[in-house]
Amino acid sequence: MSYFKTAMLLAGLTALFMGVGYLIGGANGALIALVVAAAMNIFTYWNSDRMVLSMYGAQEVDARTAPDLYRMVAELAGRASLPMPRVYIMDNPQPNAFATGRNPENAAVAVTTGLMGQLSREELAGVVAHELAHIKHHDTLLMTITATIAGAISMIAQFGMFFGGNRNNNGPGIIGSLALMILAPLGAMLVQMAISRTREYAADEMGARICGQPMWLASALRRIEAAAHQVPNYDAERAPATAHMFIINPLSGQGMDNLFATHPSTDNRVAALQRLAGEIGGDGASFGRPASQSQRGPWSGQPRGSGASRSPWSGGSSRGPWG
């Protein structure tokens, strides 16, 4: 039923795209919009991962260039009974992450340098497990297609501002164009929100079960949200229709970008994880280490708050985490 509802919402997004085309160009415009939507979906199916990763300047890493991160993803993927996804790092100070790819066999997990630098090992494991849950649920293709169509709706709605009418005087007119520019992206946002809310809660639950500690993810969500309001993600600001792919909304909320704030409330997500923790238990032991070491820094072996400046990924080198 969840997938049926999601399919219906995606169909609604395509219908909205066709409706915008109809308002601008009549029946021919609707037909062209349908063809464009189909072509976009086919293109996105085969190129979604490369398209989004390139948009955010993500660099692929392996067991040699980022051994700790790569080993963590491999272990969690094994727990989730998933093929090993490709692993990427985005050079961005805002802590955040997303997954992409058309299926589990062609998936990728991307995390920012800010995420690796600011979260503990346990919190990072919770985030990675959440993204793997999206892959296991086949959400990655859906979210990328949704972002593509929603972005196109916003673009064509703004394009419609230049058409007060066509040769047959069937255009939306000036008032109609203004309404189109405002209401079409709003409608796309509502559909995105409906899809995102369902998928995020499901990924939270499965991610918590994959890592075995719901409160690791809950703590990570709190930390990421607090930082996201303070550290801008300029790449996401330039492509707000992709914001729903991240674990926490990366947008600052300024200007019109907040129309694409499709994530559920972090308070509600944390409350759900707390209830799940009460159901499945969990002693809070550190990921891959004895519980007695859980208060130490995530990678460098230094106690948290010790002031160590060494990067947890570069091995003390001044180069980036991918060399």
Side-chain angles (χ1 to χ4, degrees), residues 137-287:
H137 285 154
H138 295 264
D139 293 337
T140 49
L141 175 63
L142 171 68
M143 291 190 295
T144 305
I145 290 178
T146 302
T148 302
I149 298 179
I153 289 173
S154 180
M155 179 186 67
I156 197 173
Q158 294 183 33
F159 183 69
M161 275 293 294
F162 294 99
F163 295 87
N166 57 27
R167 294 179 184 177
N168 298 321
N169 295 320
N170 292 325
I174 296 177
I175 296 178
S177 296
L178 287 171
L180 182 67
M181 186 182 69
I182 296 172
L183 297 179
L186 182 61
M189 178 273 293
L190 292 174
V191 176
Q192 278 187 291
M193 181 177 291
I195 293 174
S196 179
R197 286 181 184 276
T198 301
R199 306 324 307 161
E200 289 302 319
Y201 282 123
D204 283 346
E205 179 177 354
M206 176 168 281
R209 294 182 184 277
I210 289 172
C211 71
Q213 298 288 346
M215 297 314 297
W216 291 356
L217 178 55
S219 177
L221 292 176
R222 291 286 194 199
R223 192 182 296 271
I224 296 171
E225 183 186 41
H229 290 304
Q230 301 175 6
V231 181
N233 186 329
Y234 296 110
D235 292 329
E237 298 288 348
R238 286 190 289 268
T242 63
H244 72 295
M245 297 179 63
F246 286 83
I247 188 170
I248 289 288
N249 184 7
L251 303 179
S252 63
Q254 299 175 355
M256 294 297 290
D257 287 352
N258 57 9
L259 287 178
F260 294 92
T262 60
H263 289 69
S265 164
T266 299
D267 288 339
N268 291 343
R269 294 172 69 181
V270 169
L273 288 167
Q274 289 173 334
R275 290 192 295 271
L276 181 62
E279 294 174 9
I280 69 176
D283 57 8
S286 298
F287 180 80

Side-chain angles (χ1 to χ4, degrees), residues 5-27:
K5 290 180 179 178
T6 300
M8 293 300 295
L9 289 169
L10 191 57
L13 201 59
T14 302
L16 179 59
F17 189 46
M18 292 178 60
V20 174
Y22 179 81
L23 288 175
I24 293 177

